[in-house]
Amino acid sequence: MTQLLLRLFSRRWRARYAEEFSALLEDVHLSLPVVVDVSLAAIKARLIEIGQATRPRRLRVGTMFDSGDPALNSLVALALLLPTTAVMGLFALKFKLGVTAPFDAVWYFAGWGRPVQFAVVIGALVSLFLTARRIFDISVRQDGNGLAMQLSARSRRFDLLVMLVGLTVLVLLQRYFFGQHLIDLRFAAPWPWFPPPWE
Amino acid sequence: VGGPEASLDASLLILMSLASGPKHGYGMMGDILEFSGQRVGPGTLYTAIERLERDGLIAPVPSADRRRPYRITPNGLTAMRGRAQDLRRLAGVATRRLAAR
C-alpha cells in the first residue's frame, strides 16, 4: 500500500522525498483518512509542479496501468471488457433464447453474488478508463491568468469501438444489476431484449 | 471553531514544532498533536515541508537514518516571529471585542 501511495506522486517528488516519506508511512496507521490525505497531497504536488513548468505538460493519469505499448494497452482494455460482455451474453441466452445451461453453470460454480457483480462492473469501468485515456489527451500549462487546461481527442478506431462496447455493456448492466434506468436513453427498443432477470 | 481543534495552517505548526529542536516527520506529527491537539496527516505534513524547504524556512539535517530530521533556519525563526505577532494582534482584537459585549 505504501508503494502504491508513493506512485501517486511525481517522479521528481519521489526522487527527493520517497525514502523519508515511506519511512513515515510505515510509522503511521494507514487508515482511510490518511490514505485520502496522502492522495490529496499527491494531486496538489503534481498541480504545483505543472504550475511551475514553463512548457505545456501532459496530465497523465493512471500511469501505473500503462504498459508502454499502445497495442498492448488496447488489448488489455478489451480483455477487461470481455468477462462483462460474456455475462451480458449469458443473461440474454437464458432469459431471451431459453438456453439456460451456460448461465446455470456459472451460477453453480461462482454464483451471481456481489463478488461477480463487482468484478464485471469494475472490469468494464477500468476498460472504459483505459480507452478514454488513450483517446483523450489533457495538457495543462501556466499562462498569465493561471493554469490553462486543454482537452484534445485522437481518433483511434479500435479504441473508439472498445469504448462504445464498454458504454453499451455498462448501460445494459446497470439495468440488470440495479433493475432501473439510471441512464435514460429516451428510446425503448433495446430494453425488451435486456429485461432484469427478475421481471 | 474554538478548542484545540481550531485549525492553524500546517506550515506554522511545523515551524512551532521545530522551534524546540530538530525532528523527523513522525516526531513533528506527535509534537503538533501534543501542543495543539491538531492531527496533521502525512500528506499535509510533507506538502508543507516541501514549501517551507523551498522558501528556506526549514532545512534537512544530514542523517544516516531514513527518517530524515529537519531544523528551523534563521529565516524560519523570523517568519515565525512575524506570525506570532499577527496571532497576538488578532487575539488582542478578539479579547477587546469580547470584553465590550
Side-chain angles (χ1 to χ4, degrees):
Chain A
M1 187 63 181
T2 300
Q3 290 307 310
L4 196 67
L5 286 173
L6 276 174
R7 290 290 300 270
L8 297 174
F9 290 88
S10 68
R11 204 169 292 164
R12 188 202 64 81
W13 195 95
R14 288 201 302 266
R16 168 64 186 85
Y17 294 106
E19 202 180 357
E20 55 193 276
F21 193 63
S22 62
L24 175 60
L25 291 180
E26 284 164 19
D27 287 337
V28 299
H29 170 59
L30 285 181
S31 60
L32 183 63
V34 168
V35 171
V36 171
D37 175 70
V38 172
S39 307
L40 290 176
I43 293 169
K44 199 170 175 183
R46 279 183 183 269
L47 286 175
I48 288 171
E49 212 168 288
I50 288 168
Q52 287 166 346
T54 47
R55 286 182 309 161
R57 293 273 304 268
R58 274 185 69 196
L59 197 62
R60 301 185 69 213
V61 187
T63 47
M64 68 185 82
F65 295 109
D66 198 340
S67 69
D69 181 345
L72 185 61
N73 285 349
S74 295
L75 285 176
V76 168
L78 182 65
L80 281 166
L81 196 56
L82 284 179
T84 320
T85 315
V87 164
M88 292 304 304
L90 292 183
F91 272 93
L93 276 176
K94 180 177 170 81
F95 295 104
K96 283 293 138 195
L97 301 176
V99 183
T100 59
F103 182 96
D104 293 344
V106 177
W107 177 275
Y108 181 78
F109 288 111
W112 292 105
R114 289 212 179 276
V116 174
Q117 294 181 20
F118 188 74
V120 294
V121 174
I122 294 296
L125 284 174
V126 173
S127 171
L128 265 184
F129 169 75
L130 288 178
T131 44
R133 74 183 284 275
R134 281 183 47 69
I135 294 168
F136 299 107
D137 203 16
I138 304 172
S139 65
V140 181
R141 66 189 158 75
Q142 174 85 3
D143 65 11
N145 300 318
L147 287 179
M149 196 175 274
Q150 188 183 1
L151 176 72
S152 53
R154 282 167 296 208
S155 170
R156 288 182 164 143
R157 238 176 285 170
F158 183 76
D159 291 319
L160 283 170
L161 184 69
V162 174
M163 196 180 203
L164 188 69
V165 173
L167 278 171
T168 311
V169 163
L170 270 173
V171 169
L172 297 176
L173 202 67
Q174 58 87 26
R175 176 149 166 82
Y176 269 132
F177 285 142
F178 305 106
Q180 54 190 313
H181 295 279
L182 294 182
I183 305 165
D184 187 357
L185 293 180
R186 301 279 167 203
F187 61 89
W191 300 120
W193 274 89
F194 295 98
W198 49 84
E199 263 181 11
Chain B
V1 180
E5 68 278 7
S7 76
L8 285 171
D9 77 271
S11 302
L12 179 61
L13 292 169
I14 291 171
L15 289 176
M16 287 167 74
S17 177
L18 295 183
S20 68
K23 288 175 198 69
H24 53 64
Y26 192 64
M28 282 183 235
M29 285 168 69
D31 186 45
I32 289 168
L33 182 62
E34 199 178 307
F35 74 73
S36 73
Q38 204 166 310
R39 215 174 279 277
V40 178
T44 307
L45 188 83
Y46 264 83
T47 302
I49 284 179
E50 189 188 6
R51 191 170 55 238
L52 289 169
E53 193 186 352
R54 198 174 51 232
D55 294 345
L57 304 184
I58 64 170
V61 179
S63 163
D65 190 7
R66 286 170 65 215
R67 289 159 179 79
R68 191 198 301 259
Y70 287 85
R71 64 174 174 79
I72 192 166
T73 63
N75 283 345
L77 285 171
T78 308
M80 192 179 145
R81 278 192 198 100
R83 290 298 307 275
Q85 214 162 2
D86 290 343
L87 289 173
R88 261 197 303 274
R89 189 176 55 76
L90 285 172
V93 172
T95 309
R96 276 194 303 278
R97 292 190 176 179
L98 281 172
R101 288 181 71 88

